[in-house]
Amino acid sequence: MSGLRLAASDMIDAVAGRRRGEILLLLASVAVFLVFAEVVVRLLGLAQPRPTGYAPVNTNHRALREKNTRGYRDLERPLAKPAGARRLLSLGDSFAWGAGVEFEDAYPQRLARAITRRRRETWEVVNLALPGMRTIDHAVQLADEGFAYQPDVVLLGYVLNDSEDDAAAETRRAADWLEGRASSPSLLDRSALLRLVRGRIWATREGRRRISGYRSMYDENAAGWIAGRAALKRMGRLCREHGVPWIVAIFPLFGNPLDESYPFAEIHQKVSYAASAAGARVVDLLAVYRGLRWDLLVVNGVDDEHPNEIAHRIAAGALLRELDAVVPWTRTGADRPDIEDDMAASPAPTGPARQ
């Protein structure tokens, strides 16, 4: 009997030994794989954010700000309109300001040059855009300051965060601050593989949070959107009272694919309907950018998703033609060019966007 027990014990030890060997082999294989993956990720630089966009420019340099005495990124503009000149009043936020691009490349300045050549008459674009402004701010600005410049047409550059209310903005800033505190560097950050995996997980979660946040922002009962619709109506009423036509240009959020998977098309439709009901001629620029590569239209997709020089050029070209529908020509139709060469966009950045 004791012999049987010894044999059984030896068999159990042998099985356990084989299992330990298999486990050690498995762990060694996993370790080798992780080391190999770490080396590959480091060699290929996969953990480093890939810069996107075209020629990012630091507009904080004094020479690139072009701030006038009123604090706008524009030339000095007297309130009285020069004799023989016509004016377009540009309202907006950091998109119209031209964050990340040279002063001359921002769409208001491009539009001023192009419409002057196209119509062979003097046009000024008075740019009152300021980063961070919202629709409610634009309505107040138009009433208090805008019409003093005697504009012939008003252009509002609308970005989807323009209807964010104060409470939502404060909550978002607090969440970003807490996330920044929680993501303090650790020893594990030395692993490129771990940074890559963690970055992909974060991007997925952030994308979902962003989509959910914007959709809730445009809920019919959202305070910011209610105030935004009221502001659009006020702007429309002011323009009618002054006999000035106005255009609302809706920009897409460029940090997203601009194909059929673009997640905010429904919000564009809501804004378009509200602006049209307020009396504006609406230009949904999503249709203009549709199918183009988003990563070639941003300043730097890693840190800055503002439109770059190419995106501003495309926007100006689209808006130039829309002006024909709201501002009568002072010259004969025979003088009108069929196209504006200066506004022809660079070769379209088509093809699948990098993920």
Side-chain angles (χ1 to χ4, degrees):
M1 182 68 71
S2 61
L4 291 175
R5 290 197 186 98
L6 286 174
S9 177
D10 291 341
M11 185 178 297
I12 292 173
D13 290 341
V15 171
R18 285 198 300 271
R19 288 184 178 176
R20 284 196 296 270
E22 291 172 354
I23 292 173
L24 290 174
L25 179 61
L26 176 62
L27 292 176
S29 299
V30 171
V32 170
F33 172 79
L34 292 176
V35 170
F36 177 76
E38 177 76 19
V39 172
V40 170
V41 170
R42 286 179 179 272
L43 289 177
L44 298 181
L46 299 180
Q48 300 299 323
R50 294 185 178 182
T52 58
Y54 174 77
V57 175
N58 183 0
T59 53
N60 285 325
H61 292 170
R62 180 172 298 179
L64 300 177
R65 289 177 183 169
E66 293 288 349
K67 278 189 177 181
N68 59 24
T69 54
R70 293 176 179 267
Y72 299 113
R73 195 184 186 207
D74 196 5
L75 305 177
E76 295 295 339
R77 309 286 187 188
L79 293 179
K81 185 165 54 177
R86 307 182 80 182
R87 275 181 170 172
L88 182 150
L89 180 70
S90 173
L91 304 175
D93 58 8
S94 56
F95 277 42
W97 167 277
V101 300
E102 300 276 3
F103 172 71
E104 296 293 338
D105 285 333
Y107 76 83
Q109 302 306 320
R110 284 186 169 276
L111 204 51
R113 298 192 302 271
I115 194 172
T116 294
R117 284 193 295 272
R118 178 175 168 83
R119 298 200 178 202
R120 301 187 181 95
E121 58 190 11
T122 302
W123 273 83
E124 292 182 348
V125 172
V126 180
N127 191 9
L128 302 187
L130 289 172
M133 295 194 76
R134 297 170 296 171
T135 312
I136 55 176
D137 303 315
H138 299 143
V140 173
Q141 187 183 42
L142 179 63
D144 294 348
E145 183 178 4
F147 286 115
Y149 288 95
Q150 304 171 298
D152 295 277
V153 60
V154 173
L155 170 62
L156 171 63
Y158 191 98
V159 184
L160 298 191
N161 62 358
D162 287 356
S163 288
E164 186 176 39
D165 59 46
D166 291 330
E170 187 62 29
T171 299
R172 174 177 51 78
R173 285 191 290 267
D176 292 341
W177 181 81
L178 289 174
E179 183 176 352
R181 294 264 298 185
S183 60
S184 56
S186 66
L187 292 176
L188 293 177
D189 289 326
R190 295 182 179 180
S191 169
L193 179 61
L194 181 60
R195 292 200 305 272
L196 173 64
V197 173
R198 188 168 61 186
R200 293 295 176 88
I201 294 174
W202 177 88
T204 300
R205 292 175 54 193
E206 180 64 17
R208 291 174 179 172
R209 187 184 78 164
R210 186 182 194 188
I211 293 173
S212 175
Y214 274 101
R215 287 176 176 170
S216 64
M217 189 189 305
Y218 282 88
D219 182 86
E220 292 303 313
N221 297 318
W225 179 223
I226 292 174
R229 294 200 302 269
L232 288 171
K233 290 180 180 178
R234 183 186 180 191
M235 295 178 73
R237 183 174 64 253
L238 289 169
C239 287
R240 287 192 296 273
E241 291 173 354
H242 287 81
V244 176
W246 70 308
I247 297 173
V248 174
I250 307 172
F251 282 86
L253 296 178
F254 289 98
N256 300 271
L258 298 172
D259 54 18
E260 295 304 320
S261 65
Y262 178 75
F264 306 116
E266 183 179 349
I267 297 178
H268 283 245
Q269 294 174 2
K270 286 187 175 184
V271 176
S272 178
Y273 179 81
S276 296
R281 181 174 182 85
V282 178
V283 184
D284 189 351
L285 292 172
L286 175 60
V288 179
Y289 297 109
R290 180 74 79 178
L292 303 184
R293 288 181 53 175
W294 73 268
D295 57 324
L296 298 182
L297 297 174
V298 292
V299 172
N300 183 354
V302 175
D303 300 313
D304 193 338
E305 295 176 351
H306 282 95
N308 64 14
E309 182 271 343
I310 299 175
H312 277 271
R313 185 185 183 107
I314 293 172
L319 293 172
L320 177 67
R321 289 156 181 79
E322 291 296 329
L323 287 170
D324 290 345
V326 297
V327 182
W329 283 60
T330 57
R331 300 178 64 88
T332 63
D335 290 328
R336 303 184 190 185
D338 292 330
I339 59 173
E340 174 56 52
D341 293 336
D342 177 71
M343 300 315 304
S346 303
T350 56
R354 292 196 301 269
Q355 298 300 321

